Amino acid sequence: MIAALYVVLALVSHALGLANGQIQVRLSEALCILPLLTPAAVPGLFVGCILSNIITGAALPDIIFGSLATLIGAIGTYYLRKKSVLVAQLPPVISNMLIVPLILRFVYGAE
């Protein structure tokens, strides 16, 4: 269910021209806080990200490493959930901050 919701929200972002390219605003990434509530969110987010990247026509390295960024963030959120709600929200931000620019630069040629 979480994967399906992720895909639907990613498709909405894609339809608005926001899901792929040098500037990305993925509504689906808001779901990355769900591992605070359930461990089922971790694989759900990962599978949803893979599927949405495939459906929206992302390049293979983006499918792989972009999805891994979401997985790393989801796992981090899950493991930090008992420390602090605020701290637990940082892993998706940090993993995307470190990985996505590399994808944009080396896969899509963004400068």
Side-chain angles (χ1 to χ4, degrees):
M1 194 63 128
I2 292 169
L5 184 57
Y6 188 101
V7 171
V8 168
L9 289 173
L11 289 175
V12 170
S13 296
H14 183 69
L16 297 172
L18 301 171
N20 298 86
Q22 292 184 13
I23 298 175
Q24 298 182 14
V25 179
R26 286 193 171 195
L27 301 172
S28 51
E29 284 297 306
L31 299 176
C32 285
I33 63 165
L34 290 178
L36 285 168
L37 306 174
T38 176
V42 174
L45 291 168
F46 182 56
V47 170
C49 188
I50 291 171
L51 291 173
S52 64
N53 283 340
I54 292 169
I55 292 167
T56 60
L60 183 59
D62 189 1
I63 294 168
I64 295 166
F65 295 107
S67 300
L68 284 174
T70 298
L71 178 62
I72 291 165
I75 290 170
T77 296
Y78 177 74
Y79 281 110
L80 293 174
R81 74 191 186 286
K82 293 183 181 178
K83 297 283 183 195
S84 161
V85 172
L86 293 175
V87 171
Q89 294 177 52
L90 292 176
V93 174
I94 293 168
S95 66
N96 281 295
M97 179 183 72
L98 295 174
I99 296 170
V100 172
L102 295 172
I103 295 168
L104 294 176
R105 174 75 171 119
F106 295 108
V107 177
Y108 298 110
E111 293 192 31

